[in-house]
Amino acid sequence: MATATTTLPLCLPSSSRRTRTVRSGFVPVRAAIVEASRPLPALPGGHDYSTQPPQQSGPSTSAPFLVSLRSRDLAEDIQAEARALTRAVNATVYSPEFLSARYGSQPFKVVSRAVEVLTALGSFGLTLFLDQKRGELDRLKRVRAIQLRGILTRLGPTFVKIGQGLSTRPDLCPPEYLEELSELQDSLPTFPDSEAFECIEKELGFPLESIYSTISPSPIAAASLGQVYKAQLKYSGQLVAVKVQRPGIEDAIGRDFYLLRGVGILINKYVDFITSDVVALIDEFARRVFQELNYVQEGQNARRFRKLYADKQDVLVPDIFWEYTSGKVLTMEWIEGVKLNQQEAIEKQGLKVLDLVNIGIQCSLRQLLEYGYFHADPHPGNILATSEGKLAFLDFGMMSETPEEARLAIIGHVVHMVNRDYEAMARDYYALDFLSRDVDVSPIVPALKSFFDDALNSTVSELNFKTIVDGLGNVLYQYPFNVPAYYALILRSLTVLEGLALYADPNFKVLAASYPYFAKRLLTDPNPYLRDALIELLFKDGKFRWNRLENLLVQGRKDQDFSAKEALQPVLKLLLGPDGEELRILVIKEAVRVSEAIAFGAAFDAYNSVPDFVKPIISNGSLNGPFKLSEGERDQIIELRDRVFRIWNLLRSSDNFDPSILQPILQVLQEPEARVFGSRVAGGITQRFAARLLQQLLRSPTPAPSQ
């Protein structure tokens, strides 16, 4: 894109008016932040360490120089972060006491805002009351949900944030409201550029022209809490995104939450049909919004997210320029990207939306179920596609964490859903912190059974995630559930990704895309809870379900992190461990069946390979082969043998398969416990073959079918 250089006066007070250089046409389709080779940090006007190592004669010293350079880079970065923290030392931390202290002494401002809010929400509440009196509450749910979305938008950023939060709370809102509120956008009019530039200078302590060689004359993006400019750092030429906080936003949001908290107290006291603690929900949400107002905290969130998830080559996470960051100004690397919901623009770059969505799903599953630290605001504007086919995550103001117990329980919940074990599903809600331990879950089981028996008529991987969310939402709405904030945000994250995919492919199923990850975790994770879940999935009524193991391996291999080595050894350790007696009994029985199937299968293959005129001699005239088995028995044996061979081939054909992975297994098999187990298996096989031999001797030949 051609650019022209223009000289514009800074929109600052006359006492500090100066000139800066900007480029017209500087703004791309979308502002974002880019992962690039990060220049070494330097103070404005300070030393630039991004130099080549000195040229010296004699032995090369470039490697030690680079090591020293990286060490100095890290040290500078740590010091810069410390200075940023110092600049944000006065950032407000939310607490109910803080609200009371600040706004309890501002009665006129509080009353004025209360009148505005109560007029808007009160008229809506009156409308709902009249609907109920007329018996039209259910019929008009969709209409009222649309009206509520408009009211919250007009009331400003606090209520837009509240509406977005409610859109993930199936325990508070019916499905119609969830759908409408999920469409809320927090885009607001921009505030004056002069105020933004003055804020940058005040926060960073330097004149604008000493920091940037160019900066966009107007914001390239605006949201409820701030707006973003594109700039070029003067010392390095690095393109950056500069996020500046909206003036007075903290006071406006704090006043709104002060009012909302008072309303919450009244709701808790007088409104019986809302079972959740509304004050606790408001406090939790206010705490998250106030964290978003501290841009240094957001920078630290981005760094942590990058450390955990940017190890994948197809995931992009921005780095932070701490020297140019404070409580109200955030400077991050710039990315040229396209919103994930702009399908046409993505396809023009030769990319496929579904490929990008799959990257997002895999990264989200790692966030939610592996490390537990996840992006809590994954709307399309915060996830960009780059021209290289990478997925860039932006805006780390609102993050959340999944407790470890809940992460395991979610995977177990999927297993129970596959097994249609609705009693176990209901008990999972204790571990997920949906219900207190003293609540009886037995009344919930029929509701789960009623919904999932219909939903599971198709396979789990074919289910639409939104269908499950809506169905569970109806269950949650009818019973005394208290959905934790982390779980509501998980639902929102996966629902947003599925919604994006459905634009490209109406038949896309997020659970199908997620299944390889679940399969890999079940097969490879040594955690005892997941190991038990795997056993529960594979064994039923004392029999091993080989079809499920085969399916898990087929799906698990689709995950790029799947390792055949990890899939073998944890199982063996469990099998030979002190707590594995129950499993050993099951495995011994199955080992006997498999050994029999392999032996008989080999005999059948040998029989089928001989000339036809020899077969009657071997089989003593029987048309069913050399053994006195019914056709059904023979087919079952061959099917088991073939399935076991397919499973072995799946393991052997894994990209990272190495025969040496069997060496640790052989070492374990030399331990006393393994030798005892091996002798039990050998004994079982011997008994089985003896029984088969006796059966062959005593059973009458299977008659040939009449012609």
Side-chain angles (χ1 to χ4, degrees), residues 490 554 659 670 705:
I490 287 174
V554 169
Q670 295 174 11

Side-chain angles (χ1 to χ4, degrees), residues 9-20 192-202 207-209:
L10 265 178
C11 299
L12 293 174
S14 57
S15 60
S16 59
R17 188 178 299 276
R18 54 183 69 85
T19 301
R20 77 182 188 278
D193 298 310
S194 60
E195 295 183 27
F197 298 140
E198 188 172 9
C199 176
I200 294 173
E201 292 194 319
K202 180 180 178 181
L208 212 64
E209 71 269 17

Side-chain angles (χ1 to χ4, degrees), residues 41-93:
L43 291 170
H47 297 291
D48 182 3
Y49 295 117
S50 301
T51 58
Q52 296 296 320
Q55 300 296 321
Q56 298 183 5
S57 59
S60 172
T61 58
S62 62
F65 177 85
L66 290 175
V67 171
S68 174
L69 201 60
R70 293 189 187 100
S71 299
R72 185 161 50 182
D73 181 17
L74 179 60
E76 284 282 345
D77 199 53
I78 293 172
Q79 293 173 15
E81 182 178 359
R83 288 190 287 270
L85 285 167
T86 300
R87 287 191 287 271
V89 69
N90 293 321
T92 302
V93 178

Side-chain angles (χ1 to χ4, degrees), residues 486-505:
Y486 75 84
Y487 189 77
L489 293 168
I490 287 174
L491 297 184
R492 178 184 182 186
S493 175
L494 293 178
T495 303
V496 166
L497 286 170
E498 183 172 61
L500 290 170
L502 290 175
Y503 281 113
D505 180 6

Side-chain angles (χ1 to χ4, degrees), residues 306-592:
R306 174 180 174 142
K307 181 179 179 181
L308 291 176
Y309 308 116
D311 57 330
K312 303 301 179 186
Q313 62 180 7
D314 47 13
V315 173
L316 215 55
V317 181
D319 201 3
I320 307 299
F321 289 83
W322 292 115
E323 205 62 73
Y324 310 102
T325 295
S326 71
K328 296 181 179 179
V329 176
L330 177 64
T331 303
M332 308 174 81
E333 291 175 315
W334 178 272
I335 223 178
E336 299 288 352
V338 180
K339 289 182 182 181
L340 210 55
N341 61 351
Q342 296 178 344
Q343 182 178 348
E344 185 176 345
I346 289 174
E347 291 177 348
K348 282 182 179 179
Q349 299 184 54
L351 304 175
K352 295 181 179 179
V353 174
L354 291 182
D355 291 343
L356 293 162
V357 169
N358 269 310
I359 294 172
I361 288 172
Q362 299 307 314
C363 185
S364 293
L365 290 170
R366 292 184 73 206
Q367 293 175 51
L368 305 173
L369 302 176
E370 202 160 319
Y371 296 106
Y373 185 70
F374 66 93
H375 197 299
D377 191 20
H379 64 72
N382 288 340
I383 308 175
L384 302 181
T386 72
S387 58
E388 297 84 11
K390 296 184 178 182
L391 206 62
F393 286 83
L394 311 175
D395 194 350
F396 301 91
M398 187 174 289
M399 309 295 290
S400 189
E401 297 196 47
T402 311
E404 183 177 10
E405 183 182 12
R407 298 201 297 268
L408 299 174
I410 290 170
I411 298 176
H413 201 60
V414 173
V415 172
H416 296 148
M417 182 174 68
V418 172
N419 286 341
R420 303 196 185 204
D421 188 347
Y422 302 122
E423 292 184 2
M425 285 183 70
R427 291 193 298 271
D428 288 336
Y429 296 129
Y430 294 138
L432 291 169
D433 203 24
F434 279 32
L435 298 168
S436 60
R437 298 280 177 176
D438 57 349
V439 174
D440 180 18
V441 296
S442 56
I444 302 169
V445 174
L448 291 174
K449 178 176 173 57
S450 174
F451 168 69
F452 280 106
D453 274 349
D454 290 336
L456 291 173
N457 283 335
S458 54
T459 64
V460 172
S461 62
E462 292 175 346
L463 282 175
N464 184 295
F465 187 76
K466 189 176 184 303
T467 301
I468 292 181
V469 172
D470 289 345
L472 280 177
N474 287 327
V475 174
L476 299 180
Y477 192 63
Q478 296 174 35
Y479 294 95
F481 282 89
N482 182 30
V483 178
Y486 75 84
Y487 189 77
L489 293 168
I490 287 174
L491 297 184
R492 178 184 182 186
S493 175
L494 293 178
T495 303
V496 166
L497 286 170
E498 183 172 61
L500 290 170
L502 290 175
Y503 281 113
D505 180 6
N507 297 316
F508 181 85
K509 301 294 185 291
V510 73
L511 286 179
S514 305
Y515 202 63
Y517 176 86
F518 282 98
K520 181 206 71 174
R521 285 292 302 275
L522 285 169
L523 286 169
T524 63
D525 198 312
N527 183 281
Y529 182 91
L530 296 185
R531 227 3 103 225
D532 291 343
L534 176 62
I535 293 170
E536 185 179 339
L537 186 66
L538 296 180
F539 285 92
K540 182 178 182 181
D541 299 329
K543 292 191 67 176
F544 190 83
R545 294 187 277 193
W546 289 95
N547 61 320
R548 291 222 169 150
L549 177 58
E550 183 179 10
N551 188 41
L552 284 174
L553 286 169
V554 169
Q555 295 297 327
R557 277 161 43 91
K558 296 177 183 178
D559 190 286
Q560 60 184 0
D561 295 328
F562 176 77
S563 168
K565 178 178 179 179
E566 293 177 1
L568 290 172
Q569 295 187 47
V571 173
L572 192 64
K573 289 179 181 178
L574 173 68
L575 182 63
L576 301 177
D579 300 324
E581 178 59 26
E582 184 177 349
L583 178 61
R584 283 193 287 273
I585 293 172
L586 295 174
V587 169
I588 289 170
K589 291 169 59 178
E590 205 58 36
V592 171

